Amino acid sequence: MDAQSIYVTALKNTHAIEMQALQIMERQVERLEHYPEMEAALRRHIEETHGQRTRLEEALQSLGDSPSALKEGFLGFVGNMMALGHTPAQDEILKNSYANHAFENFEIAAYESLLTIGEVAGQSGHLSAFQQSLSEEQAMAQTVRELIKPTTRRYLELSLAGAKADR
Ligand SMILES: [Fe+2]
């Protein structure tokens, strides 16, 4: 096992995470009706995520490799948490908020790890691109965190008024 092959594996894993992120966010965005701030944050981050995906694909290409399909079970408990939000429920928006918070922090960990591996593998040319992706994940994690309370308050208001509040 050499640093280069560990790096390629990390690139592929991170790429798989981003593909999963796109699926999760696109699904939520098309369902959201009553939470415009969450919807706007997701739309913005979907755009960023396309860029993040391209950065990973370019790095893999430069090493003569290409992305591979997500290994089953790779996302483990995060995947299970995401499944919560996919089950129609009265409190869908709350479950999705928790899951988004978890997922953005999962991605932060993945990029910090990727940057560390890239450094050891001598791939300094890629690092500023992934530093940019990391900054975007950190910003989104903070946005999601800051939306937890206002989203919950809106959910309460709508629910207590007998209105549709689920998403
Ligand atoms: Fe993200």
Side-chain angles (χ1 to χ4, degrees), residues 47-144:
E47 285 313 304
E48 286 174 343
T49 303
H50 282 296
Q52 295 170 357
R53 171 195 168 178
T54 304
R55 287 176 197 129
L56 290 158
E57 286 166 3
E58 284 171 358
L60 278 164
Q61 250 167 38
S62 78
L63 300 170
D65 219 309
S66 58
S68 49
L70 184 64
K71 283 203 187 76
E72 207 171 328
F74 171 62
L75 289 172
F77 94 99
V78 181
N80 290 337
M81 207 161 8
M82 297 299 144
L84 274 182
H86 295 165
T87 315
Q90 161 60 18
D91 58 353
E92 177 178 331
I93 182 66
L94 298 185
K95 287 172 177 147
N96 277 334
S97 300
Y98 311 158
N100 291 343
H101 184 272
F103 200 78
E104 293 309 323
N105 282 281
F106 186 91
E107 291 185 289
I108 288 170
Y111 278 107
E112 286 188 339
S113 184
L114 178 66
L115 283 161
T116 305
I117 295 168
E119 221 172 277
V120 171
Q123 294 294 337
S124 55
H126 297 167
L127 299 185
S128 71
F130 297 137
Q131 191 61 54
Q132 169 74 26
S133 298
L134 173 60
S135 301
E136 291 165 358
E137 304 301 12
Q138 286 167 331
M140 182 59 173
Q142 196 185 334
T143 300
V144 172

